[in-house]
Amino acid sequence: MYSTNTITDLFQDRLRPGRILLVDTVEKKIEEDNDLKLRIALSRPHKKLSSARIYLDQLRRNDVLCHGAITNEYLIKRELELQWSEERLIGDTDHRISKKHHKDFHLDEDRRLMAFSYTPDSFTMLIAPMIIEKKEALGSMGNDAALACLSDYSPQIFSYFQQLFAQVTNPPIDPFREQIVMSLRCPIGPESNLLEPMEELEERLILEQPVLSLVDLEVLKRTTYKGWRTKVIDVVYPTIHDSKGLLPALDRICGEACAAALDGYQMIVLSDRKVCRQLVAISPLLALGAVHQCMLRQQLRMKVVLPGLLGIRYLRQYSMIAIISNFNINSMIL
């Protein structure tokens, strides 16, 4: 207990946004905002540590110098070429895409949509409006769909997680109107102890937002800037193994991820691009969670970054907006 008889009111105010007030009960003193922030700022060479940060623009410029510029059109054309060559190899004549008719290929004809549980309703009500209107489709609050555990189909693992409340702020919190207290900037890469930062581990990559376009993801996959390397791991396994091949495939993926971390890779990308009739894709949420937990047990998680940790399902949709929103829906592909 402290006696208030000898306390003199020297300053009266409220604690404003972005300010700090420290009540030290050991030293029996109060540190105000400016003094406290100055003491923290002088405790470590923060300017020297932050000067080693890497920004995505630097990786883009280095990628252009090393590999040449890539565009959305190039990535889409390459994807169409790969799909055409794969279907030609397996002799699929029913849905074979003629090389001269690539421009007539419709997005809803891509059979990989079924592999990722995209239904005609999700395509018509969600994907198409996002491409045409360049914004997310509006809908009423709440979800009246059947529970995933009671479904007769095979819903994605994402469907088993539900948000049971609506959180509303007034005014709305966003990084544009509330720049002082909120930001979308994401530092990724090898991370040192937050309480004892090491200069050699402070070369982290700074992303201005957590959503990556396909072009930016391609830049990250092939970058060699300042020794950064990316390991791409396929999260697919042969269809003939059926459900019995799931656990061995997860063990293989976790083993490759841990080996990549020990070999000095800074980024690990889990890719399901090779999905086809002979290869089935593992749920990205399941694969990512397995790798994350495995690397935590092996004490390797702080050595690498796993792009897409914030939600791969929605990352797919928003990436598609960034890539193909300016093109004709009838000539695009996921």
Side-chain angles (χ1 to χ4, degrees), residues 4-68:
T4 60
N5 297 330
T6 59
I7 294 180
T8 303
D9 293 336
L10 300 179
F11 181 75
Q12 292 183 356
D13 196 4
R14 62 184 179 87
L15 187 61
R16 300 179 182 275
R19 295 189 178 183
I20 309 174
L21 182 66
L22 174 63
V23 179
D24 193 336
T25 58
V26 177
E27 299 293 336
K28 297 183 179 180
K29 66 177 182 179
I30 298 177
E31 280 192 85
E32 296 183 10
D33 181 77
N34 292 334
D35 297 334
L36 180 58
K37 289 180 178 178
L38 181 61
R39 181 165 64 86
I40 296 175
L42 297 177
S43 62
R44 299 187 184 95
H46 294 284
K47 185 176 182 179
K48 185 177 181 180
L49 294 175
S50 61
S51 63
R53 293 175 178 174
I54 303 174
Y55 294 88
L56 190 56
D57 286 339
Q58 295 174 286
L59 268 65
R60 293 191 186 109
R61 289 193 293 267
N62 181 74
D63 185 79
V64 172
L65 294 175
C66 296
H67 305 283

Side-chain angles (χ1 to χ4, degrees), residues 81-99:
E81 293 285 348
L82 288 175
Q83 185 178 3
W84 175 80
S85 60
E86 290 173 358
E87 295 197 356
R88 183 179 61 177
L89 289 176
I90 64 177
D92 190 352
T93 57
D94 295 335
H95 295 83
R96 181 175 176 178
I97 304 175
S98 176
K99 192 171 184 178

Side-chain angles (χ1 to χ4, degrees), residues 160-211:
Y160 288 86
F161 298 91
Q162 302 288 341
Q163 182 176 344
L164 300 180
F165 69 97
Q167 184 174 349
V168 181
T169 60
N170 189 14
I173 295 179
D174 60 66
F176 305 104
R177 289 174 288 183
E178 303 290 341
Q179 296 181 6
I180 297 179
V181 295
M182 183 180 180
S183 174
L184 292 180
R185 176 174 290 187
C186 301
I188 64 174
E191 186 176 358
S192 60
N193 188 347
L194 182 63
L195 301 178
E196 298 179 0
M198 300 170 57
E199 183 177 353
E200 59 270 18
L201 290 179
E202 287 304 312
E203 291 187 354
R204 307 192 70 197
L205 176 61
I206 307 299
L207 302 179
E208 294 300 327
Q209 59 174 347
V211 181

Side-chain angles (χ1 to χ4, degrees), residues 223-270:
T223 185
T224 56
Y225 185 73
K226 289 189 175 181
W228 276 59
R229 295 185 300 162
T230 301
K231 176 69 173 180
V232 180
I233 300 177
D234 295 319
V235 291
V236 295
Y237 68 93
T239 309
I240 58 175
H241 293 168
D242 202 14
S243 59
K244 296 180 180 179
L246 178 60
L247 291 180
L250 287 175
D251 292 337
R252 187 258 308 168
I253 294 169
C254 292
E256 291 184 16
C258 292
L262 293 174
D263 289 341
Y265 285 88
Q266 286 78 17
M267 287 185 287
I268 296 177
V269 175
L270 304 180

Side-chain angles (χ1 to χ4, degrees), residues 299-311:
Q299 299 183 358
L300 298 173
R301 184 62 185 88
M302 305 295 285
K303 295 181 179 294
V304 296
V305 60
L306 295 171
L309 191 59
L310 297 179

